[in-house]
Amino acid sequence: MPTNESEKARWNDDRWTDAWPDRERLTNSVSPYLLAALGLEAGERVLDIGCGGGGQSITAAQAVGATGAVVGVDVSEALAALARRRATEVGAANVTFVVSDAQVQTIDGAPFDVAMSQFGVMFFDEPVKAFSNLRAPRLLAAGGAQPVAYGRDHGAVRRPPPPLAPGKSAVGPFSLGDEAHTTALLESVGFTDVGAAAHDLVIDVPASAIFSDNSYAVLGVEPASVPAASVAMQHHLEQFAVGEDLYKVPLAFYIFHAVNP
Ligand SMILES: C[S@@+](CC[C@H](N)C(=O)[O-])C[C@H]1O[C@@H](n2cnc3c(N)ncnc32)[C@H](O)[C@@H]1O
């Protein structure tokens, strides 16, 4: 059965990936919490799952130093290329980026001491298989919800998702947003000492950190419904507006940690 087909298409679609540096204004606010919780040590070998543009991989590479190494894995060719450019710009020689499906493929550089992810592990359509594939001695992942990202009003103009094929799970930013469900998932594949810390932030971002006009097509809004979707999005964002193109938005997420015994 093919894996993660629609996610691979989305994360290799220029209409989506071109907007990613803007979106990082939102997601990067989580990075200090994730890196602090990781407590990386010099010499460790780290896997960054769904590394996107590589920002956290590069920060992790600085933390583990020249005797350590970081491998960022992602299904997106464009984001891996962006990550490589960024690593070159800052002279990070101990980080490499590979294009691969972390759900099913063995990542060159394994075994790792630590696996980490910032919003990169909620897109697996067979999460049990994926987390079985990713059992490093320590796993730490930021997952959960970005409540502001897509207003509920949007539901009316989005194409309904196709029914799930047998054995497949729903994917998306909220797929690991239930603490009990995600804890049970990690324990079911053999992780121990599973725990989660809930965080609630309020961050200041421009609208481009949340959505762009191209998002509608990629998210399944029919062309004829884009004007209505745009009105719904503006309406949803108004409650967070604090200035000219400035929004104070809530960002709720969990940081999960688990040990591979
Ligand atoms: C929300 S983005 C997060 C990117 C980055 N960690 C950040 O916080 O900016 C999710 C990332 O997961 C990647 N991804 C989705 N499914 C994946 C899979 N099966 N294997 C590897 N990467 C995947 C996407 O290409 C995307 O870059």
Side-chain angles (χ1 to χ4, degrees):
M1 194 183 298
T3 65
N4 300 313
E5 285 308 304
S6 61
E7 288 303 306
K8 282 179 194 160
R10 184 156 71 101
W11 293 103
N12 281 288
D13 184 327
D14 291 345
R15 293 172 301 175
W16 190 259
T17 56
D18 286 354
W20 193 252
D22 288 329
R23 297 289 196 293
E24 288 176 329
R25 303 266 307 257
L26 190 78
T27 54
N28 281 354
S29 52
V30 169
S31 308
Y33 296 86
L34 181 61
L35 271 298
L38 270 169
L40 292 174
E41 293 178 7
E44 287 190 311
R45 300 181 55 74
V46 180
L47 174 65
D48 184 8
I49 306 155
C51 62
Q56 304 80 51
S57 315
I58 293 168
T59 307
Q62 287 157 349
V64 298
T67 56
V70 177
V71 176
V73 58
D74 205 285
V75 288
S76 171
E77 300 271 357
L79 293 181
L82 172 63
R84 289 188 194 108
R85 282 198 299 277
R86 286 174 167 169
T88 302
E89 274 163 25
V90 298
N94 60 338
V95 58
T96 50
F97 295 98
V98 294
V99 176
S100 185
D101 183 343
Q103 174 165 302
V104 287
Q105 283 160 326
T106 303
I107 316 295
D108 283 348
F112 297 96
D113 301 309
V114 181
M116 63 181 269
S117 181
Q118 176 175 290
F119 299 129
V121 285
M122 309 103 123
F123 303 98
F124 298 132
D125 63 10
E126 295 182 49
V128 171
K129 183 190 280 184
F131 282 106
S132 303
N133 194 40
L134 290 169
R135 278 187 43 186
R138 272 192 289 147
L139 173 82
L140 197 74
Q146 296 157 271
V148 73
Y150 310 113
R152 297 200 196 295
D153 310 349
H154 237 161
V157 290
R158 282 184 71 172
R159 234 181 353 250
L164 288 173
K168 297 292 188 182
S169 295
V171 302
F174 305 102
S175 70
L176 300 179
D178 182 275
E179 183 182 346
H181 166 82
T182 303
T183 300
L185 169 65
L186 293 171
E187 288 176 344
S188 75
V189 300
F191 283 106
T192 63
D193 304 280
V194 180
H199 295 263
D200 278 289
L201 308 185
V202 176
I203 57 170
D204 293 341
V205 287
S208 60
I210 301 166
F211 78 110
S212 62
D213 285 347
N214 280 336
S215 306
Y216 297 121
V218 185
L219 289 170
V221 176
E222 301 290 357
S225 299
V226 167
S230 186
V231 169
M233 178 57 93
Q234 291 303 336
H235 178 72
H236 178 70
L237 286 181
E238 270 166 25
Q239 62 191 303
F240 306 113
V242 290
E244 175 97 12
D245 192 25
L246 187 64
Y247 299 87
K248 205 172 254 310
V249 299
L251 183 67
F253 60 95
Y254 284 110
I255 295 183
F256 289 95
H257 58 87
V259 174
N260 181 15

